[in-house]
Every structure is written in structure tokens, then in C-alpha cells.
Amino acid sequence: MMGSSACNSAQPEPDDAVVDQAILWLTHLSSGLASEEERRAYHDWCAQHPQNALAAHRMEGIFARFDGLPAEPARAVLEGQRRPSRKALKLALSLALLLAGGGMLAQWPQARYWTADYRTAAGERRVVELADHSTLTLNSGSAVNIRYDGHARRVDLLAGEVLVQVAHISKAASQPFAVHTPDGEARALGTRYLVRREAGATVVTVLESMVRAGSADGSSSRTVMPDQRVRITVDAVSVPQAVDAGQAASWVRGRLVADNAPLSEVLAELSRYRRGLLRYDAAQMEAVRVSGVFALDDGDRTLATLQALLPITAEHYTPFLTVVSVKPKK
């Protein structure tokens, strides 16, 4: 990865403090918020000591395929340095994966999350009772704003997923209850339903009664019945599909129910509950199928169970990074 170069056996390995500093630099530089002055300061830091350049160069080299990572400063200083050890590359890989996750988080609307009326951290669920006695159960990593007035009862889902239990009020017709996202709205015609934000769409699953789902541009709407699900985009609402709504809401009880599901879907759900990063090749995991009931609140135990049942390995590089891969065929 580093290319052939003359070895320098006298060059010491970067210590923990240097590695930590490299992480801080690269996390900030990959966030898109760094100024040109800060980028020059990073270049100067790389040049201050060979250990600095070595730590930065390993991470840059391994993750050159990710956009936004500066590649040149450490490389220019490191010409002639020795090839990294296997142990050091493993460490650099884990740190770079963590950095990649940090880059994605930097693109997320953090300000709206932190200023939300109600929010949950990774691995947390929360029940909120609203002014009309409706309740919201927020899934892990979720955020909502509440907007009640004399004309409507509105919940803005900023991130994640929420289970809605709508209270019956005397003026329901003049104060309709609806959950809104940038994709559209899910207006209650009854009591219980799920609303979930996904990339480019909002998923609505009805547990009881009915929901009217509408696209943001007003061009499409559908009535969704119990045990049905639709995807809402800015200009369309999909045809309702039959689902097991109870299974979809199993996260409320801290359970993940899989019925011949792709392992990629199971891992995606587990990743929502981890404070650290869970990395895997989604395409590779698509062909691995899994059934069972797993604990969301003990992700390490669930991964150990999956590893015992399936041809996969789960490697814990740091407390904040786990990489799952398919075992090579013998």
C-alpha cells in the first residue's frame, strides 16, 4: 500500500499520543469544516517528527479511496520510511474505519439533532407523553420536534424511528395528528403506527387502525391498513405491502426478530444500537440468511451468537469498532 522504499529500521513506532493526535487531525480535516490554515498546520505537524508522519501516512494510504482525506502531507515527509508491520496496519485500518464513520457523521444535520425537543442516543429508547396524552416511543438515535397548536398536532421526525400511540381527543377533526418528514407526512386515522427515516425515503408501518400517507409535493397519497407498510418519497407513496407489524415493532421490547432475513439487514439494525461502529460488506452479507430472536441491547452477545450460527467472523479491533466478515471457503 505504501509502495517500495528503502527501509529505516531505526524508525520507532508511533506512540499512543501520536496516534490519538493523528485521529483528531484527520477527523477534523474530513469533516469539511477545516480551513486552509488548519490544513497547513496539519502539514506542519506531519513534518515535525517522523512518528507524526508515519501515523498519518498509514491512515491516509489505507483510506485513500475515501473522499475528503488529505493524502499528500505525510507522504511527502515519509519517503524512505520502512513498510508498516502487520500489527500497525491492523491498528491503522481500525482507526481509519472509525474516521470514515466520523466523516459520515459530519454530514448529518447534528445541529437539528442536538436542539430537538426530544432525542435518544445510540442504544437508548425513550417514551414521551405529549400534551394530549398521545405517546411517542423513540428508537435508538432518534430525534423529534413537537408542534401543537389549535389547528394541528404535528411531530417532526428529524432522525431515526418512532412508534406513535395517538390519543383520542374531542376535536380530532380540527386538530389532526401527523408525523412529518422531508419526504411527506403520515396522518393518523386511528391509533398505533411506526414512522422511520431512511436514506431518501420515509417508511410507515401500521399496527392498528389506519394512516393516510402523503408525499411532500402533494401529488400522491394512500391509506395504509394494519399490517401494511409504505415508502414515502418527496413525489410518491408506494403501493402498500403486507408485513408483520408486530415484528417490525419488536425493537420496542429490545428485540430484533429475523425470519430468513439477509444478514445485512440484521447487522444494519444492530449497528443502530452501537455506540461504536459496526462495519461489514453489505453485498457480501446479503446472501447469508438468518432467523431468530436477538437482543438489541447486548450487541456483542448477539454478534457472538451469529458468529456461532453462521460462517462469519466478528473482530473487535477497539471498543468502538467491530468488523464482520464472511469466513473464506476451505
Side-chain angles (χ1 to χ4, degrees):
M1 291 180 182
M2 295 177 63
S4 55
S5 61
C7 293
N8 182 353
S9 59
Q11 173 60 46
E13 285 290 313
D15 59 26
D16 290 345
V18 171
V19 171
D20 289 344
Q21 188 64 44
I23 296 170
L24 291 173
W25 272 117
L26 289 172
T27 300
H28 182 58
L29 294 178
S30 66
S31 71
L33 302 176
S35 65
E36 285 303 315
E37 182 178 356
E38 288 169 322
R39 292 183 181 278
R40 287 193 295 271
Y42 169 65
H43 187 285
D44 292 341
W45 177 81
C46 289
Q48 285 172 5
H49 196 282
Q51 284 194 24
N52 298 0
L54 184 59
H57 178 61
R58 287 174 180 169
M59 296 173 67
E60 292 171 0
I62 292 172
F63 271 77
R65 66 181 181 276
F66 288 98
D67 292 336
L69 297 187
E72 290 303 325
R75 184 177 299 118
V77 177
L78 270 170
E79 290 182 358
Q81 297 299 330
R82 65 183 175 86
R83 190 178 297 274
S85 67
R86 184 173 181 273
K87 179 180 178 181
L89 277 175
K90 187 175 181 181
L91 174 61
L93 174 60
S94 67
L95 294 175
L97 281 168
L98 183 60
L99 171 61
M104 289 186 288
L105 287 175
Q107 298 172 19
W108 200 64
Q110 290 289 339
R112 296 190 69 196
Y113 172 84
W114 289 111
T115 59
D117 293 333
Y118 302 100
R119 62 182 184 272
T120 53
E124 178 187 8
R125 290 183 299 277
R126 182 179 182 183
V127 178
V128 176
E129 183 174 351
L130 304 181
D132 64 344
H133 302 297
S134 296
T135 61
L136 304 177
T137 303
L138 277 66
N139 201 349
S140 170
S142 300
V144 296
N145 281 334
I146 310 301
R147 297 169 58 184
Y148 273 35
D149 57 32
H151 305 288
R153 296 172 290 166
R154 171 171 172 155
V155 175
D156 289 328
L157 179 60
L158 308 177
E161 181 175 20
V162 64
L163 169 65
V164 180
Q165 176 80 47
V166 183
H168 295 287
I169 63 173
S170 59
K171 299 179 180 179
S174 60
Q175 290 181 291
F177 187 104
V179 178
H180 287 252
T181 75
D183 302 305
E185 72 165 14
R187 178 167 299 199
L189 302 177
T191 51
R192 298 178 71 228
Y193 60 104
L194 297 163
V195 184
R196 173 170 173 151
R197 293 284 303 274
E198 294 186 349
T202 296
V203 178
V204 177
T205 305
V206 178
L207 283 72
E208 296 178 8
S209 195
M210 298 179 292
V211 168
R212 190 67 178 175
S215 60
D217 69 357
S219 66
S220 178
S221 66
R222 296 182 187 273
T223 298
V224 191
M225 308 297 289
D227 288 315
Q228 288 186 339
R229 171 181 293 167
V230 295
R231 290 175 61 85
I232 306 173
T233 59
V234 173
D235 58 1
V237 179
S238 70
V239 174
Q241 294 183 331
V243 295
D244 184 333
Q247 179 175 318
S250 61
W251 59 265
V252 177
R253 303 184 300 277
R255 296 289 180 263
L256 169 59
V257 180
D259 182 10
N260 195 35
L263 181 57
S264 56
E265 293 183 6
V266 173
L267 294 177
E269 288 303 307
L270 287 178
S271 68
R272 291 163 59 90
Y273 274 76
R274 298 181 71 85
R275 294 183 183 277
L277 297 175
L278 182 63
R279 286 288 178 263
Y280 53 91
D281 184 331
Q284 188 182 51
M285 300 298 169
E286 191 75 19
V288 181
R289 315 297 289 195
V290 60
S291 297
V293 180
F294 306 99
L296 284 171
D297 297 328
D298 192 347
D300 287 342
R301 187 181 73 179
T302 296
L303 285 174
T305 300
L306 291 170
Q307 188 171 215
L309 294 174
L310 302 169
I312 62 170
T313 58
E315 296 183 276
H316 303 278
Y317 289 91
T318 75
F320 304 104
L321 174 69
T322 298
V323 177
V324 180
S325 56
V326 174
K327 291 180 179 178
K329 294 182 179 180
K330 296 181 179 180

